[in-house]
Amino acid sequence: MRGYSYFADYYDRLTQNISYGQLAEYLCRVLQKLGHDPGIVLDLACGTGSLTLDLAQKGIDVYGVDASPEMLSIAQQKAAQQNQQVLFLCQKMQDLDLYGTVDTVLCTLDSVNHMVQEKDIQAAFQKVSLFLNPGGYFIFDVNTVYKHREILGDHTFVYDLEDIFCVWQNMFYPDTNKVRIHLDFFEREDAVYYRRQEEFLERAYTNGQITGWLQNAGLTLVDRYDGFTFDSPGDTAERIVYVARK
């Protein structure tokens, strides 16, 4: 699968519903609730760098890592436009190799779900633990099994923007809780539309699986929240935020 190659060109336009400023505020509130000084922060799977740059604007010492060079190219362009000096590294989560340790690791917007092999998640958690200072926190979110089954499922979504038309088709595999996501982009140039395609998988995991992998990596689960709130997740939670401590 290609991953976020062509999608990188359209990602920001198709995710305008995400308020990275509000997400940055929420993460800062989580850290305040924990009484934790963020220190050096790693934004893992940072994508086009929107959250990374919003955190940097708050004075947080943060840098980003992502596996997609196309996404990171956009992140670097945005940093230059904002006159921000932020380091971005091109690495897979399961192959994380930092210059030194960090105090906080953030991984948001269901990036963990993009690892569809259990061994990759275990490896990624082990790498996070390796580079996280004792007493540091790993905060990440995941799409739930409920969301994959009931919301994404075998559904199709359409995005009709001024200069781009996108058809997002899903195929759900109940035996593994995987969703195959196929994207068709139709981009308008003058009076002609050009078609580009992208396809990738996401997989949902149970709380027991995630908790076990955290424990195996030497990380202790501190709390879980329903979405970007401080509520406890119920059976119909679509996104769960995990807070783990080394």
Side-chain angles (χ1 to χ4, degrees):
M1 290 193 185
R2 299 184 60 88
Y4 280 11
S5 177
Y6 294 142
F7 194 18
D9 293 337
Y10 312 115
Y11 184 83
D12 286 339
R13 280 180 282 173
L14 294 173
T15 57
Q16 293 179 12
N17 61 311
I18 300 172
S19 173
Y20 288 98
Q22 291 181 6
L23 178 54
E25 288 284 352
Y26 170 75
L27 293 169
C28 287
R29 290 200 303 272
V30 173
L31 294 173
Q32 290 170 0
K33 187 174 186 290
L34 295 168
H36 177 62
D37 183 343
I40 300 176
V41 176
L42 171 65
D43 185 8
L44 188 59
C46 65
T48 61
S50 295
L51 176 62
T52 320
L53 296 173
D54 276 355
L55 291 169
Q57 287 180 344
K58 291 180 173 297
I60 293 176
D61 187 1
V62 60
Y63 63 101
V65 167
D66 198 273
S68 169
E70 292 86 0
M71 298 285 269
L72 289 177
S73 176
I74 295 171
Q76 290 173 327
Q77 293 174 31
K78 288 157 70 171
Q81 291 168 358
Q82 296 178 25
N83 197 28
Q84 292 204 65
Q85 299 296 320
V86 175
L87 175 67
F88 291 103
L89 302 175
C90 188
Q91 297 178 1
K92 293 181 178 179
M93 288 186 276
Q94 62 268 35
D95 298 326
L96 189 66
D97 188 12
L98 305 181
Y99 301 122
T101 56
V102 298
D103 303 293
T104 308
V105 177
L106 307 174
C107 186
T108 60
L109 300 176
D110 51 87
S111 296
V112 169
N113 296 103
H114 285 272
M115 291 183 286
V116 297
Q117 300 294 329
E118 295 181 16
K119 63 180 179 63
D120 288 335
I121 291 193
Q122 294 179 70
F125 285 6
Q126 291 283 354
K127 289 290 189 179
V128 167
S129 181
L130 176 64
F131 290 105
L132 193 59
N133 286 323
Y137 282 90
F138 177 31
I139 302 171
F140 63 96
D141 69 68
V142 295
N143 280 339
T144 62
V145 173
Y146 172 83
K147 181 176 181 179
H148 273 220
R149 184 181 66 244
E150 302 295 336
I151 307 301
L152 297 180
D154 294 304
H155 297 151
T156 297
F157 305 92
V158 174
Y159 296 86
D160 188 2
L161 305 181
E162 183 177 352
D163 58 343
I164 185 172
F165 186 84
C166 174
V167 180
W168 171 359
Q169 301 177 77
N170 295 329
M171 181 180 292
F172 179 59
Y173 301 93
D175 54 331
T176 59
N177 294 317
K178 292 179 183 177
V179 172
R180 182 181 298 274
I181 298 172
H182 182 87
L183 301 169
D184 279 291
F185 304 103
F186 299 87
E187 186 171 21
R188 183 175 180 176
E189 293 183 14
D190 298 323
V192 178
Y193 279 89
Y194 293 90
R195 181 182 183 184
R196 302 167 82 180
Q197 297 178 305
E198 193 87 84
E199 187 173 274
F200 50 88
L201 285 170
E202 286 197 18
R203 184 178 179 182
Y205 298 95
T206 66
N207 179 62
Q209 288 175 303
I210 294 172
T211 301
W213 294 328
L214 288 172
Q215 291 175 343
N216 291 340
L219 300 166
T220 301
L221 179 64
V222 174
D223 218 334
R224 300 189 308 142
Y225 301 122
D226 183 352
F228 301 127
T229 72
F230 291 103
D231 300 329
S232 297
D235 294 338
T236 58
E238 297 179 21
R239 182 187 304 275
I240 296 177
V241 174
Y242 282 80
V243 180
R245 186 176 187 268
K246 181 175 176 181

